[in-house]
Amino acid sequence: MAQSGHITDTSQEYEEVIRLCSDIFMKKMHDYGTAWRILRPTSITDQIFIKANRIRCIEEKGVCKVDEGIIPEFIGIVNYAIMGLIQLEMGAKEDDDREFIAQRYRHYFQEARNLMDNKNHDYDEAWRSMRISSYTDLILMKINRTRQIEDLKGDTLISEGIDANYYDMVNYAVFALIRLVVEKENTLNK
């Protein structure tokens, strides 16, 4: 059973990842505006696939030729999955209401965190014992599920919707970032 202090650590660590991902999202929105709003959810799913597939290739090959490791890719998965949630709500269209988009970003990140808190309670921090490569595989599985639901145009018999898969992708990527960034920083600061 997890110690109560450990759960608090998870909450604090999740907040650190929110700050990291949000900072990058907001800086990119400054530089590029809301150009991504033109993307359909299917295109966002494919962008997440590209990032998750690159992580898996790097994990399997043990080396990357582009001077960016897997951390930026996990951040990208978080941000694209939240973009996907925004697109499911608002549809693909051109707009430049950056403050409203920033508000929706914060809203969906908080929803993902609430889901993590509930699941983490039930699973008792099991994610901490998982390999980072398992997060990658689970994200790829969620992408394949999402693609299938998209191909069925949402007409499923028993499955959760696309939004549930995007939320899970956010949280698996956050877990990886906690393990790769936050725990490493905490170790260095001791």
Side-chain angles (χ1 to χ4, degrees), residues 15-16 41 65 75 78-79 86 90 124-125 129 142 153-154 158:
E15 280 299 316
E16 289 180 48
K65 290 194 172 188
I75 293 168
V78 168
N79 286 338
I86 292 169
M90 298 175 61
D124 203 26
E125 302 271 318
S129 300
K142 294 292 181 177
K153 299 191 180 354
I158 195 169

Side-chain angles (χ1 to χ4, degrees), residues 55 59 70 74 130-137 175-176 179-180:
I55 293 167
E59 288 170 345
I70 63 175
F74 278 118
M130 294 171 60
R131 295 173 184 94
I132 291 171
S133 60
S134 293
Y135 305 137
T136 307
D137 290 350
F175 292 156
R179 302 276 308 283
L180 291 166

Side-chain angles (χ1 to χ4, degrees), residues 73-88:
E73 302 298 352
F74 278 118
I75 293 168
I77 289 169
V78 168
N79 286 338
Y80 271 109
I82 293 174
M83 288 178 203
L85 290 162
I86 292 169
Q87 295 301 77
L88 289 175

Side-chain angles (χ1 to χ4, degrees), residues 21 65 92 131 147-148 164 167:
C21 294
K65 290 194 172 188
R131 295 173 184 94
R147 284 176 160 178
Q148 179 64 25
Y167 281 122

Side-chain angles (χ1 to χ4, degrees), residues 16-33:
E16 289 180 48
V17 172
I18 287 175
R19 280 191 295 277
L20 172 67
C21 294
S22 178
D23 180 60
I24 290 171
F25 182 85
M26 297 307 164
K27 285 177 179 174
K28 286 193 175 196
M29 189 162 56
H30 173 272
D31 291 352
Y32 303 130

